[in-house]
Amino acid sequence: MEMFLLKKILGEVLSPLPFCLGIVGIGIFLLLITRKRNLGKTFVTGGFLLLTLLSIEPISGLLLQTLESQYAPLKSSSIHKLSVATGESKISQIVVLAGGLTGDPTLPLHLQILNSSRERLLEGIRLYRLFPNSQLILTGGLGFPSDPEATVLSRVAQTYG
């Protein structure tokens, strides 16, 4: 249990945004509270530059690609082979993880979800159609100021049949 908790805390602290903001925070502390102004300026500048670097598309895309490329997409041909070999589909549930909302409920429903959510949802719908006996499970927490992400994803999925 302690190892799990430690992993969760370290994962949050060492994520790019909290890590960079922590560096900037240390720099501001050094600037305002101590006499180490040059070191403080270095921390603020370094944290800001690192955050900027990690936020631009080529770098952030590469970071995501290392995670996303661990699993190959499920193709129709491999699904058919799996179903024929076993006599039935072993896939009973498809989970779609939400990726954020725009927060603007005045937009058309499909535009209320961010691109990452839309891409995940469309892939979930594609898999759901390939496995008609499966259950599509949509996740997502509270969306500010709108409905929970899972609710908005569900509405979008229903509009796509």
Side-chain angles (χ1 to χ4, degrees):
M1 180 66 176
E2 294 84 22
M3 189 59 116
F4 174 76
L5 187 61
L6 179 64
K7 182 180 176 185
K8 282 294 198 187
I9 292 171
L10 283 177
E12 287 298 318
V13 172
L14 296 178
S15 292
L17 182 61
F19 181 73
C20 293
L21 290 178
I23 292 172
V24 170
I26 291 169
I28 291 172
F29 173 79
L30 290 171
L31 280 171
L32 298 177
I33 308 298
T34 69
R35 295 179 186 216
K36 299 181 179 184
R37 294 175 115 14
N38 286 336
L39 186 59
K41 290 176 185 176
T42 302
F43 269 80
V44 170
T45 304
F48 177 77
L49 289 175
L50 184 61
L51 180 60
T52 303
L53 185 67
L54 293 174
S55 299
I56 59 175
E57 176 51 40
I59 307 269
S60 62
L62 284 173
L63 291 173
L64 279 176
Q65 186 179 19
T66 59
L67 295 172
E68 292 174 344
S69 64
Q70 291 178 12
Y71 304 99
L74 201 52
K75 295 190 168 100
S76 300
S77 58
S78 60
I79 293 168
H80 180 68
K81 288 177 188 174
L82 175 68
S83 299
V84 169
T86 62
E88 62 181 54
S89 168
K90 291 188 176 188
I91 296 177
S92 61
Q93 297 170 333
I94 300 160
V95 179
V96 176
L97 306 176
L101 301 174
T102 62
D104 186 357
T106 63
L107 290 173
L109 199 56
H110 68 282
L111 295 178
Q112 290 181 25
I113 58 177
L114 295 179
N115 286 339
S116 56
S117 287
R118 191 170 20 281
E119 291 168 0
R120 293 172 185 178
L121 180 60
L122 289 175
E123 180 63 12
I125 292 169
R126 181 185 78 84
L127 292 173
Y128 178 75
R129 288 181 177 154
L130 290 171
F131 299 99
N133 295 326
S134 65
Q135 179 182 20
L136 187 61
I137 300 171
L138 306 171
T139 68
L142 192 56
F144 296 103
S146 64
D147 294 327
E149 291 173 294
T151 303
V152 177
L153 285 177
S154 174
R155 290 180 191 146
V156 173
Q158 289 171 358
T159 63
Y160 286 112

